[in-house]
Amino acid sequence: MSRVDLAELDFFSPEVQECPFSVYQQLQDEAPVWQMPGTNVFVVTRYNDIREIIRDPARFSSSFSALLNAGSSNEDVNAIYGQGYEMVETLLTQDPPRHRVYRNLVNKVFSNKRIEGMRDDIQAIADQLISEWIDDGEVDLLNRLCVPLPIYVIADQLGVPRSELTLLKKWSDASTSRLGRLADEEQQIQNAKDIVEFQHYFADLIDRMREHPEDNIISDLANNTIDEGRLLTKPEALGMIQQILVAGNETSTNAIAGGVVLLIENPEEQAKLRGSPELIPTAVEEILRLETPTSGMWRRATQDTEIDGVAIPEGSFLMVRFAAGNRDESVFPCAGAMQVDRENANNHMAFGQGTHFCLGAQLARTELQIAMTTLLRRTDNWALVEGKNSLKHHPNVLLRGLMDLHISFDKVS
Ligand code: HEM
């Protein structure tokens, strides 16, 4: 493993993020709670340290939205955001006890019963998408399955017509790019335009659902009440919709695409899975562990404290690196290897843990299981198409996802 000079390490640079695994391991070995030189940011890479932090919201707050939505230095960008709605802390960036008020509302909206009821629809969507190219022998899998599957599912649930799916994808990409904080100025302006367009679209939809309620998530959010029986304000509802949209799209897309590459790179594991399809749920957990589409998340120290013997001053930011925790050898032996029957695969932290445990975990698992089962059943002899795959990831400090994925395959008759 090549070692880097930690005093010189630019952890969030696109180069390090493209292939971060040896850096994760070095940090775990040498500086598991590592202060980025010249900053008040600590990067945390060991499983147990991350676990301690995310299960203690009183000491480690999620009020880090200033980091995510910080005003741009570009006045044009700020002027565009001025035409939209203010951002309100609801789920991801809200702390208990207020967090519970919003979370209870969405837990109701995202009930296990609703997700179970979606299984047949998700299967039908997967089959429909695959049928479109099953006779072609080669496919842009990213854009013909991994991207559309979660978007179709969430669009149906949000009550957005299929004709507007490209808009949904555009808005989701803009929010992800804003979160990622690596966009150039031109991209920041486009992101701002797209996000404000998203806000106005859903503000109108909320009004329509208040006048004529339907059986979908927007209608539930628009009409359920919180506090002493009041409806959500527009910024509250928009904040929640934006999180559901973004969190529910990119991450699932990235998990499906990353999972297919892992299975191509590990032909023996793929063969094991084809021979024993009952392993699919465990294989999906293993994919989530190795891919960790949400590589990390922020926390803010509310007091002077310490983690693993390292002093953390009040107000410091902690980058809890789920992707590193998921490769911690003390929890997952041979952590870099894919084992579709790994006994403790579902101890991974790809969905976080504790207060902010992913709202969409059950939905994501269902989508992944159906996508993998259907792909394996209907196609075989997968291979990466030469010359069409960079196997590079979108530059983003929080989310990890492939830029392209073209595979060749045989149709199973
Ligand atoms: C493979 C797919 C997914 C991954 C890897 C993932 C990952 C995560 C992680 C790590 C967190 C915790 C963040 C923290 O601790 O600060 C989280 C929270 C969240 N996720 Fe997911 N997610 C996925 C899919 C989804 C889906 C499908 C939805 C919704 C449809 C969703 C909605 C949310 C929301 C709303 C939160 C915030 C919950 C809260 O703060 O109470 N996610 N997700």
PDB file of all heavy atoms in Angstrom, residues 62 64 91-92 99 103 110 154 243-244 247-248 251-252 255 288 293-294 297 299 322 349-352 355-360 363-364 368, ligand 1:
ATOM      1  N   SER A  62     -26.124  17.443  14.052  1.00  0.00           N
ATOM      2  CA  SER A  62     -26.248  17.390  12.590  1.00  0.00           C
ATOM      3  C   SER A  62     -26.578  18.763  12.005  1.00  0.00           C
ATOM      4  O   SER A  62     -26.981  18.866  10.854  1.00  0.00           O
ATOM      5  CB  SER A  62     -27.338  16.390  12.190  1.00  0.00           C
ATOM      6  OG  SER A  62     -26.867  15.076  12.337  1.00  0.00           O
ATOM      7  N   PHE A  64     -25.325  20.982  10.321  1.00  0.00           N
ATOM      8  CA  PHE A  64     -24.184  21.342   9.460  1.00  0.00           C
ATOM      9  C   PHE A  64     -24.650  21.917   8.136  1.00  0.00           C
ATOM     10  O   PHE A  64     -23.913  21.939   7.164  1.00  0.00           O
ATOM     11  CB  PHE A  64     -23.288  20.121   9.225  1.00  0.00           C
ATOM     12  CG  PHE A  64     -24.007  18.892   8.734  1.00  0.00           C
ATOM     13  CD1 PHE A  64     -24.432  18.797   7.424  1.00  0.00           C
ATOM     14  CD2 PHE A  64     -24.272  17.835   9.595  1.00  0.00           C
ATOM     15  CE1 PHE A  64     -25.097  17.672   6.972  1.00  0.00           C
ATOM     16  CE2 PHE A  64     -24.938  16.699   9.153  1.00  0.00           C
ATOM     17  CZ  PHE A  64     -25.351  16.615   7.843  1.00  0.00           C
ATOM     18  N   LEU A  91     -34.886  17.147   8.283  1.00  0.00           N
ATOM     19  CA  LEU A  91     -34.435  15.799   8.647  1.00  0.00           C
ATOM     20  C   LEU A  91     -32.928  15.724   8.849  1.00  0.00           C
ATOM     21  O   LEU A  91     -32.436  15.725   9.977  1.00  0.00           O
ATOM     22  CB  LEU A  91     -34.871  14.814   7.560  1.00  0.00           C
ATOM     23  CG  LEU A  91     -36.387  14.676   7.395  1.00  0.00           C
ATOM     24  CD1 LEU A  91     -36.721  13.954   6.112  1.00  0.00           C
ATOM     25  CD2 LEU A  91     -36.971  13.941   8.592  1.00  0.00           C
ATOM     26  N   LEU A  92     -32.207  15.656   7.737  1.00  0.00           N
ATOM     27  CA  LEU A  92     -30.766  15.387   7.775  1.00  0.00           C
ATOM     28  C   LEU A  92     -29.998  16.368   8.655  1.00  0.00           C
ATOM     29  O   LEU A  92     -29.051  15.995   9.339  1.00  0.00           O
ATOM     30  CB  LEU A  92     -30.217  15.440   6.342  1.00  0.00           C
ATOM     31  CG  LEU A  92     -28.813  14.940   6.126  1.00  0.00           C
ATOM     32  CD1 LEU A  92     -28.750  13.431   6.323  1.00  0.00           C
ATOM     33  CD2 LEU A  92     -28.311  15.294   4.735  1.00  0.00           C
ATOM     34  N   HIS A  99     -36.022  17.091  15.445  1.00  0.00           N
ATOM     35  CA  HIS A  99     -35.904  16.118  14.367  1.00  0.00           C
ATOM     36  C   HIS A  99     -37.032  15.097  14.422  1.00  0.00           C
ATOM     37  O   HIS A  99     -37.593  14.693  13.400  1.00  0.00           O
ATOM     38  CB  HIS A  99     -34.539  15.418  14.465  1.00  0.00           C
ATOM     39  CG  HIS A  99     -34.387  14.246  13.552  1.00  0.00           C
ATOM     40  ND1 HIS A  99     -34.675  12.955  13.923  1.00  0.00           N
ATOM     41  CD2 HIS A  99     -34.005  14.169  12.255  1.00  0.00           C
ATOM     42  CE1 HIS A  99     -34.467  12.137  12.909  1.00  0.00           C
ATOM     43  NE2 HIS A  99     -34.053  12.847  11.889  1.00  0.00           N
ATOM     44  N   ARG A 103     -39.433  13.551  11.559  1.00  0.00           N
ATOM     45  CA  ARG A 103     -39.160  12.150  11.228  1.00  0.00           C
ATOM     46  C   ARG A 103     -40.417  11.301  11.423  1.00  0.00           C
ATOM     47  O   ARG A 103     -40.717  10.422  10.611  1.00  0.00           O
ATOM     48  CB  ARG A 103     -37.999  11.656  12.096  1.00  0.00           C
ATOM     49  CG  ARG A 103     -37.557  10.233  11.836  1.00  0.00           C
ATOM     50  CD  ARG A 103     -36.892  10.072  10.460  1.00  0.00           C
ATOM     51  NE  ARG A 103     -36.787   8.670  10.116  1.00  0.00           N
ATOM     52  CZ  ARG A 103     -35.689   8.054   9.700  1.00  0.00           C
ATOM     53  NH1 ARG A 103     -34.581   8.729   9.500  1.00  0.00           N
ATOM     54  NH2 ARG A 103     -35.698   6.778   9.418  1.00  0.00           N
ATOM     55  N   PHE A 110     -43.608   6.944   4.791  1.00  0.00           N
ATOM     56  CA  PHE A 110     -42.755   5.886   4.234  1.00  0.00           C
ATOM     57  C   PHE A 110     -42.930   4.573   4.986  1.00  0.00           C
ATOM     58  O   PHE A 110     -41.961   3.857   5.210  1.00  0.00           O
ATOM     59  CB  PHE A 110     -41.283   6.297   4.337  1.00  0.00           C
ATOM     60  CG  PHE A 110     -40.738   6.850   3.069  1.00  0.00           C
ATOM     61  CD1 PHE A 110     -41.058   8.126   2.679  1.00  0.00           C
ATOM     62  CD2 PHE A 110     -39.921   6.087   2.248  1.00  0.00           C
ATOM     63  CE1 PHE A 110     -40.574   8.641   1.497  1.00  0.00           C
ATOM     64  CE2 PHE A 110     -39.439   6.602   1.068  1.00  0.00           C
ATOM     65  CZ  PHE A 110     -39.763   7.887   0.687  1.00  0.00           C
ATOM     66  N   ILE A 154     -39.577   6.594  -7.459  1.00  0.00           N
ATOM     67  CA  ILE A 154     -39.835   7.746  -6.590  1.00  0.00           C
ATOM     68  C   ILE A 154     -40.836   8.698  -7.253  1.00  0.00           C
ATOM     69  O   ILE A 154     -41.672   9.308  -6.581  1.00  0.00           O
ATOM     70  CB  ILE A 154     -38.510   8.449  -6.176  1.00  0.00           C
ATOM     71  CG1 ILE A 154     -38.669   9.172  -4.831  1.00  0.00           C
ATOM     72  CG2 ILE A 154     -37.985   9.405  -7.183  1.00  0.00           C
ATOM     73  CD1 ILE A 154     -38.783   8.296  -3.648  1.00  0.00           C
ATOM     74  N   GLN A 243     -34.950  16.311   0.075  1.00  0.00           N
ATOM     75  CA  GLN A 243     -34.104  15.263   0.656  1.00  0.00           C
ATOM     76  C   GLN A 243     -34.526  13.881   0.162  1.00  0.00           C
ATOM     77  O   GLN A 243     -33.691  13.034  -0.138  1.00  0.00           O
ATOM     78  CB  GLN A 243     -34.181  15.300   2.176  1.00  0.00           C
ATOM     79  CG  GLN A 243     -33.364  16.447   2.749  1.00  0.00           C
ATOM     80  CD  GLN A 243     -33.518  16.562   4.248  1.00  0.00           C
ATOM     81  OE1 GLN A 243     -33.229  15.628   4.976  1.00  0.00           O
ATOM     82  NE2 GLN A 243     -33.999  17.699   4.695  1.00  0.00           N
ATOM     83  N   ILE A 244     -35.849  13.668   0.085  1.00  0.00           N
ATOM     84  CA  ILE A 244     -36.329  12.355  -0.369  1.00  0.00           C
ATOM     85  C   ILE A 244     -35.908  12.134  -1.827  1.00  0.00           C
ATOM     86  O   ILE A 244     -35.437  11.065  -2.207  1.00  0.00           O
ATOM     87  CB  ILE A 244     -37.865  12.264  -0.207  1.00  0.00           C
ATOM     88  CG1 ILE A 244     -38.211  12.214   1.276  1.00  0.00           C
ATOM     89  CG2 ILE A 244     -38.432  11.070  -0.951  1.00  0.00           C
ATOM     90  CD1 ILE A 244     -39.678  12.388   1.586  1.00  0.00           C
ATOM     91  N   ALA A 247     -31.812  11.943  -1.902  1.00  0.00           N
ATOM     92  CA  ALA A 247     -31.308  10.769  -1.192  1.00  0.00           C
ATOM     93  C   ALA A 247     -31.794   9.495  -1.861  1.00  0.00           C
ATOM     94  O   ALA A 247     -31.128   8.475  -1.821  1.00  0.00           O
ATOM     95  CB  ALA A 247     -31.763  10.811   0.256  1.00  0.00           C
ATOM     96  N   GLY A 248     -32.984   9.569  -2.468  1.00  0.00           N
ATOM     97  CA  GLY A 248     -33.582   8.367  -3.012  1.00  0.00           C
ATOM     98  C   GLY A 248     -33.158   8.036  -4.428  1.00  0.00           C
ATOM     99  O   GLY A 248     -33.434   6.950  -4.915  1.00  0.00           O
ATOM    100  N   THR A 251     -28.193   7.704  -4.769  1.00  0.00           N
ATOM    101  CA  THR A 251     -27.603   6.640  -3.959  1.00  0.00           C
ATOM    102  C   THR A 251     -27.995   5.262  -4.491  1.00  0.00           C
ATOM    103  O   THR A 251     -27.139   4.380  -4.615  1.00  0.00           O
ATOM    104  CB  THR A 251     -28.063   6.790  -2.508  1.00  0.00           C
ATOM    105  OG1 THR A 251     -29.465   7.008  -2.509  1.00  0.00           O
ATOM    106  CG2 THR A 251     -27.357   7.940  -1.820  1.00  0.00           C
ATOM    107  N   SER A 252     -29.276   5.091  -4.808  1.00  0.00           N
ATOM    108  CA  SER A 252     -29.714   3.768  -5.287  1.00  0.00           C
ATOM    109  C   SER A 252     -29.116   3.486  -6.663  1.00  0.00           C
ATOM    110  O   SER A 252     -28.670   2.368  -6.943  1.00  0.00           O
ATOM    111  CB  SER A 252     -31.243   3.700  -5.355  1.00  0.00           C
ATOM    112  OG  SER A 252     -31.786   4.052  -4.105  1.00  0.00           O
ATOM    113  N   ALA A 255     -25.583   2.435  -6.175  1.00  0.00           N
ATOM    114  CA  ALA A 255     -25.448   1.098  -5.590  1.00  0.00           C
ATOM    115  C   ALA A 255     -25.678   0.025  -6.654  1.00  0.00           C
ATOM    116  O   ALA A 255     -24.937  -0.967  -6.716  1.00  0.00           O
ATOM    117  CB  ALA A 255     -26.425   0.932  -4.432  1.00  0.00           C
ATOM    118  N   LEU A 288     -23.632  -2.886  -0.661  1.00  0.00           N
ATOM    119  CA  LEU A 288     -23.784  -1.610   0.054  1.00  0.00           C
ATOM    120  C   LEU A 288     -22.543  -1.325   0.903  1.00  0.00           C
ATOM    121  O   LEU A 288     -22.076  -0.195   0.995  1.00  0.00           O
ATOM    122  CB  LEU A 288     -25.032  -1.642   0.944  1.00  0.00           C
ATOM    123  CG  LEU A 288     -26.352  -1.542   0.175  1.00  0.00           C
ATOM    124  CD1 LEU A 288     -27.528  -1.976   1.045  1.00  0.00           C
ATOM    125  CD2 LEU A 288     -26.576  -0.105  -0.309  1.00  0.00           C
ATOM    126  N   PRO A 293     -22.556   4.218  -1.131  1.00  0.00           N
ATOM    127  CA  PRO A 293     -22.820   5.356  -2.020  1.00  0.00           C
ATOM    128  C   PRO A 293     -22.804   6.720  -1.291  1.00  0.00           C
ATOM    129  O   PRO A 293     -22.486   7.727  -1.902  1.00  0.00           O
ATOM    130  CB  PRO A 293     -24.226   5.068  -2.561  1.00  0.00           C
ATOM    131  CG  PRO A 293     -24.405   3.590  -2.403  1.00  0.00           C
ATOM    132  CD  PRO A 293     -23.633   3.216  -1.175  1.00  0.00           C
ATOM    133  N   THR A 294     -23.155   6.738  -0.003  1.00  0.00           N
ATOM    134  CA  THR A 294     -22.964   7.966   0.787  1.00  0.00           C
ATOM    135  C   THR A 294     -21.651   7.773   1.535  1.00  0.00           C
ATOM    136  O   THR A 294     -21.607   7.196   2.621  1.00  0.00           O
ATOM    137  CB  THR A 294     -24.132   8.185   1.778  1.00  0.00           C
ATOM    138  OG1 THR A 294     -25.359   8.186   1.037  1.00  0.00           O
ATOM    139  CG2 THR A 294     -24.003   9.493   2.532  1.00  0.00           C
ATOM    140  N   MET A 297     -20.537  11.761   5.981  1.00  0.00           N
ATOM    141  CA  MET A 297     -21.482  12.817   6.350  1.00  0.00           C
ATOM    142  C   MET A 297     -20.834  13.672   7.434  1.00  0.00           C
ATOM    143  O   MET A 297     -19.819  13.280   8.012  1.00  0.00           O
ATOM    144  CB  MET A 297     -22.767  12.154   6.855  1.00  0.00           C
ATOM    145  CG  MET A 297     -24.010  12.994   6.801  1.00  0.00           C
ATOM    146  SD  MET A 297     -24.250  14.005   5.336  1.00  0.00           S
ATOM    147  CE  MET A 297     -24.894  12.831   4.164  1.00  0.00           C
ATOM    148  N   ARG A 299     -20.751  16.043  11.015  1.00  0.00           N
ATOM    149  CA  ARG A 299     -21.288  16.319  12.341  1.00  0.00           C
ATOM    150  C   ARG A 299     -20.528  17.521  12.890  1.00  0.00           C
ATOM    151  O   ARG A 299     -19.413  17.803  12.442  1.00  0.00           O
ATOM    152  CB  ARG A 299     -21.113  15.114  13.293  1.00  0.00           C
ATOM    153  CG  ARG A 299     -21.952  13.887  12.944  1.00  0.00           C
ATOM    154  CD  ARG A 299     -23.454  14.128  13.065  1.00  0.00           C
ATOM    155  NE  ARG A 299     -24.236  12.904  12.889  1.00  0.00           N
ATOM    156  CZ  ARG A 299     -24.706  12.450  11.717  1.00  0.00           C
ATOM    157  NH1 ARG A 299     -24.448  13.109  10.603  1.00  0.00           N
ATOM    158  NH2 ARG A 299     -25.439  11.353  11.668  1.00  0.00           N
ATOM    159  N   PHE A 322     -18.282   6.888   6.393  1.00  0.00           N
ATOM    160  CA  PHE A 322     -18.937   5.569   6.413  1.00  0.00           C
ATOM    161  C   PHE A 322     -18.188   4.573   5.527  1.00  0.00           C
ATOM    162  O   PHE A 322     -18.073   3.392   5.850  1.00  0.00           O
ATOM    163  CB  PHE A 322     -20.376   5.671   5.904  1.00  0.00           C
ATOM    164  CG  PHE A 322     -21.254   6.602   6.696  1.00  0.00           C
ATOM    165  CD1 PHE A 322     -21.958   7.628   6.069  1.00  0.00           C
ATOM    166  CD2 PHE A 322     -21.412   6.450   8.059  1.00  0.00           C
ATOM    167  CE1 PHE A 322     -22.779   8.478   6.789  1.00  0.00           C
ATOM    168  CE2 PHE A 322     -22.238   7.296   8.791  1.00  0.00           C
ATOM    169  CZ  PHE A 322     -22.919   8.316   8.143  1.00  0.00           C
ATOM    170  N   MET A 349     -22.413   0.259   7.704  1.00  0.00           N
ATOM    171  CA  MET A 349     -23.010   1.545   8.075  1.00  0.00           C
ATOM    172  C   MET A 349     -23.334   2.385   6.840  1.00  0.00           C
ATOM    173  O   MET A 349     -23.330   3.611   6.905  1.00  0.00           O
ATOM    174  CB  MET A 349     -22.113   2.299   9.057  1.00  0.00           C
ATOM    175  CG  MET A 349     -20.649   2.241   8.803  1.00  0.00           C
ATOM    176  SD  MET A 349     -19.684   3.230  10.010  1.00  0.00           S
ATOM    177  CE  MET A 349     -20.157   2.588  11.587  1.00  0.00           C
ATOM    178  N   ALA A 350     -23.640   1.730   5.712  1.00  0.00           N
ATOM    179  CA  ALA A 350     -23.943   2.486   4.490  1.00  0.00           C
ATOM    180  C   ALA A 350     -25.212   3.330   4.637  1.00  0.00           C
ATOM    181  O   ALA A 350     -25.391   4.324   3.937  1.00  0.00           O
ATOM    182  CB  ALA A 350     -24.090   1.532   3.302  1.00  0.00           C
ATOM    183  N   PHE A 351     -26.111   2.939   5.542  1.00  0.00           N
ATOM    184  CA  PHE A 351     -27.326   3.728   5.775  1.00  0.00           C
ATOM    185  C   PHE A 351     -27.214   4.570   7.049  1.00  0.00           C
ATOM    186  O   PHE A 351     -28.224   5.079   7.549  1.00  0.00           O
ATOM    187  CB  PHE A 351     -28.545   2.809   5.909  1.00  0.00           C
ATOM    188  CG  PHE A 351     -28.935   2.099   4.633  1.00  0.00           C
ATOM    189  CD1 PHE A 351     -29.040   0.712   4.598  1.00  0.00           C
ATOM    190  CD2 PHE A 351     -29.221   2.810   3.478  1.00  0.00           C
ATOM    191  CE1 PHE A 351     -29.416   0.051   3.434  1.00  0.00           C
ATOM    192  CE2 PHE A 351     -29.598   2.158   2.303  1.00  0.00           C
ATOM    193  CZ  PHE A 351     -29.694   0.777   2.282  1.00  0.00           C
ATOM    194  N   GLY A 352     -26.000   4.714   7.605  1.00  0.00           N
ATOM    195  CA  GLY A 352     -25.863   5.405   8.878  1.00  0.00           C
ATOM    196  C   GLY A 352     -26.416   4.538  10.003  1.00  0.00           C
ATOM    197  O   GLY A 352     -26.688   3.342   9.818  1.00  0.00           O
ATOM    198  N   THR A 355     -30.165   8.095  15.174  1.00  0.00           N
ATOM    199  CA  THR A 355     -31.206   9.106  14.904  1.00  0.00           C
ATOM    200  C   THR A 355     -31.497   9.299  13.415  1.00  0.00           C
ATOM    201  O   THR A 355     -32.643   9.380  13.004  1.00  0.00           O
ATOM    202  CB  THR A 355     -30.731  10.478  15.459  1.00  0.00           C
ATOM    203  OG1 THR A 355     -30.299  10.285  16.790  1.00  0.00           O
ATOM    204  CG2 THR A 355     -31.834  11.510  15.399  1.00  0.00           C
ATOM    205  N   HIS A 356     -30.434   9.388  12.619  1.00  0.00           N
ATOM    206  CA  HIS A 356     -30.620   9.738  11.200  1.00  0.00           C
ATOM    207  C   HIS A 356     -30.576   8.514  10.290  1.00  0.00           C
ATOM    208  O   HIS A 356     -30.412   8.665   9.069  1.00  0.00           O
ATOM    209  CB  HIS A 356     -29.567  10.770  10.773  1.00  0.00           C
ATOM    210  CG  HIS A 356     -29.741  12.077  11.482  1.00  0.00           C
ATOM    211  ND1 HIS A 356     -30.627  13.042  11.057  1.00  0.00           N
ATOM    212  CD2 HIS A 356     -29.187  12.546  12.620  1.00  0.00           C
ATOM    213  CE1 HIS A 356     -30.596  14.065  11.898  1.00  0.00           C
ATOM    214  NE2 HIS A 356     -29.728  13.788  12.855  1.00  0.00           N
ATOM    215  N   PHE A 357     -30.733   7.325  10.874  1.00  0.00           N
ATOM    216  CA  PHE A 357     -30.714   6.111  10.044  1.00  0.00           C
ATOM    217  C   PHE A 357     -31.600   6.331   8.818  1.00  0.00           C
ATOM    218  O   PHE A 357     -32.732   6.830   8.920  1.00  0.00           O
ATOM    219  CB  PHE A 357     -31.206   4.895  10.852  1.00  0.00           C
ATOM    220  CG  PHE A 357     -31.226   3.632  10.028  1.00  0.00           C
ATOM    221  CD1 PHE A 357     -30.041   2.987   9.716  1.00  0.00           C
ATOM    222  CD2 PHE A 357     -32.415   3.114   9.533  1.00  0.00           C
ATOM    223  CE1 PHE A 357     -30.044   1.835   8.924  1.00  0.00           C
ATOM    224  CE2 PHE A 357     -32.429   1.966   8.745  1.00  0.00           C
ATOM    225  CZ  PHE A 357     -31.241   1.326   8.440  1.00  0.00           C
ATOM    226  N   CYS A 358     -31.100   5.912   7.671  1.00  0.00           N
ATOM    227  CA  CYS A 358     -31.734   6.251   6.399  1.00  0.00           C
ATOM    228  C   CYS A 358     -33.227   5.921   6.357  1.00  0.00           C
ATOM    229  O   CYS A 358     -33.638   4.783   6.573  1.00  0.00           O
ATOM    230  CB  CYS A 358     -31.025   5.487   5.282  1.00  0.00           C
ATOM    231  SG  CYS A 358     -31.774   5.720   3.683  1.00  0.00           S
ATOM    232  N   LEU A 359     -33.988   6.938   6.014  1.00  0.00           N
ATOM    233  CA  LEU A 359     -35.435   6.776   5.885  1.00  0.00           C
ATOM    234  C   LEU A 359     -35.784   5.787   4.775  1.00  0.00           C
ATOM    235  O   LEU A 359     -36.779   5.074   4.852  1.00  0.00           O
ATOM    236  CB  LEU A 359     -36.037   8.150   5.542  1.00  0.00           C
ATOM    237  CG  LEU A 359     -37.497   8.197   5.174  1.00  0.00           C
ATOM    238  CD1 LEU A 359     -38.359   7.950   6.412  1.00  0.00           C
ATOM    239  CD2 LEU A 359     -37.858   9.542   4.552  1.00  0.00           C
ATOM    240  N   GLY A 360     -34.959   5.763   3.724  1.00  0.00           N
ATOM    241  CA  GLY A 360     -35.286   4.961   2.545  1.00  0.00           C
ATOM    242  C   GLY A 360     -34.576   3.620   2.504  1.00  0.00           C
ATOM    243  O   GLY A 360     -34.551   2.972   1.452  1.00  0.00           O
ATOM    244  N   LEU A 363     -36.676   0.795   1.166  1.00  0.00           N
ATOM    245  CA  LEU A 363     -36.970   0.991  -0.258  1.00  0.00           C
ATOM    246  C   LEU A 363     -35.718   0.694  -1.097  1.00  0.00           C
ATOM    247  O   LEU A 363     -35.783  -0.014  -2.112  1.00  0.00           O
ATOM    248  CB  LEU A 363     -37.448   2.427  -0.493  1.00  0.00           C
ATOM    249  CG  LEU A 363     -37.664   2.830  -1.947  1.00  0.00           C
ATOM    250  CD1 LEU A 363     -38.652   1.897  -2.640  1.00  0.00           C
ATOM    251  CD2 LEU A 363     -38.140   4.276  -2.057  1.00  0.00           C
ATOM    252  N   ALA A 364     -34.573   1.216  -0.662  1.00  0.00           N
ATOM    253  CA  ALA A 364     -33.339   1.002  -1.421  1.00  0.00           C
ATOM    254  C   ALA A 364     -33.002  -0.482  -1.483  1.00  0.00           C
ATOM    255  O   ALA A 364     -32.623  -1.000  -2.546  1.00  0.00           O
ATOM    256  CB  ALA A 364     -32.197   1.782  -0.777  1.00  0.00           C
ATOM    257  N   LEU A 368     -32.677  -2.657  -4.909  1.00  0.00           N
ATOM    258  CA  LEU A 368     -31.425  -3.350  -5.238  1.00  0.00           C
ATOM    259  C   LEU A 368     -31.643  -4.851  -5.400  1.00  0.00           C
ATOM    260  O   LEU A 368     -31.110  -5.470  -6.323  1.00  0.00           O
ATOM    261  CB  LEU A 368     -30.430  -3.128  -4.106  1.00  0.00           C
ATOM    262  CG  LEU A 368     -29.520  -1.925  -4.289  1.00  0.00           C
ATOM    263  CD1 LEU A 368     -28.983  -1.440  -2.960  1.00  0.00           C
ATOM    264  CD2 LEU A 368     -28.363  -2.339  -5.186  1.00  0.00           C
TER     265      LEU A 368
HETATM  266  C1  HEM B   1     -28.491   2.796  -1.470  1.00  0.00           C
HETATM  267  C2  HEM B   1     -29.276   3.793  -1.203  1.00  0.00           C
HETATM  268  C3  HEM B   1     -29.128   4.735  -0.030  1.00  0.00           C
HETATM  269  C4  HEM B   1     -28.048   5.000   0.768  1.00  0.00           C
HETATM  270  C5  HEM B   1     -26.652   4.405   0.677  1.00  0.00           C
HETATM  271  C6  HEM B   1     -28.460   5.991   1.758  1.00  0.00           C
HETATM  272  C7  HEM B   1     -27.641   6.471   2.764  1.00  0.00           C
HETATM  273  C8  HEM B   1     -28.080   7.274   3.813  1.00  0.00           C
HETATM  274  C9  HEM B   1     -27.289   7.628   4.975  1.00  0.00           C
HETATM  275  C10 HEM B   1     -25.848   7.200   5.225  1.00  0.00           C
HETATM  276  C11 HEM B   1     -28.050   8.411   5.769  1.00  0.00           C
HETATM  277  C12 HEM B   1     -27.652   8.970   7.154  1.00  0.00           C
HETATM  278  C13 HEM B   1     -26.990  10.312   7.098  1.00  0.00           C
HETATM  279  C14 HEM B   1     -26.525  10.773   8.468  1.00  0.00           C
HETATM  280  O1  HEM B   1     -26.293   9.975   9.375  1.00  0.00           O
HETATM  281  O2  HEM B   1     -26.338  12.001   8.621  1.00  0.00           O
HETATM  282  C15 HEM B   1     -29.315   8.595   5.110  1.00  0.00           C
HETATM  283  C16 HEM B   1     -30.344   9.366   5.567  1.00  0.00           C
HETATM  284  C17 HEM B   1     -31.465   9.615   4.825  1.00  0.00           C
HETATM  285  N1  HEM B   1     -31.898   8.943   3.679  1.00  0.00           N
HETATM  286 FE1  HEM B   1     -30.879   7.540   2.678  1.00  0.00          FE
HETATM  287  N2  HEM B   1     -29.765   6.312   1.514  1.00  0.00           N
HETATM  288  C18 HEM B   1     -30.223   5.564   0.448  1.00  0.00           C
HETATM  289  C19 HEM B   1     -31.490   5.575  -0.095  1.00  0.00           C
HETATM  290  C20 HEM B   1     -32.494   6.411   0.306  1.00  0.00           C
HETATM  291  C21 HEM B   1     -33.806   6.448  -0.262  1.00  0.00           C
HETATM  292  C22 HEM B   1     -34.321   5.511  -1.355  1.00  0.00           C
HETATM  293  C23 HEM B   1     -34.468   7.467   0.377  1.00  0.00           C
HETATM  294  C24 HEM B   1     -35.868   7.994   0.200  1.00  0.00           C
HETATM  295  C25 HEM B   1     -36.689   7.655  -0.680  1.00  0.00           C
HETATM  296  C26 HEM B   1     -33.572   8.040   1.373  1.00  0.00           C
HETATM  297  C27 HEM B   1     -33.869   9.078   2.214  1.00  0.00           C
HETATM  298  C28 HEM B   1     -33.085   9.491   3.276  1.00  0.00           C
HETATM  299  C29 HEM B   1     -33.459  10.570   4.190  1.00  0.00           C
HETATM  300  C30 HEM B   1     -34.694  11.436   4.091  1.00  0.00           C
HETATM  301  C31 HEM B   1     -32.448  10.644   5.163  1.00  0.00           C
HETATM  302  C32 HEM B   1     -32.376  11.587   6.357  1.00  0.00           C
HETATM  303  C33 HEM B   1     -33.006  10.892   7.536  1.00  0.00           C
HETATM  304  C34 HEM B   1     -32.964  11.689   8.817  1.00  0.00           C
HETATM  305  O3  HEM B   1     -32.151  12.610   8.946  1.00  0.00           O
HETATM  306  O4  HEM B   1     -33.777  11.370   9.692  1.00  0.00           O
HETATM  307  N3  HEM B   1     -32.386   7.365   1.307  1.00  0.00           N
HETATM  308  N4  HEM B   1     -29.318   7.856   3.913  1.00  0.00           N
END
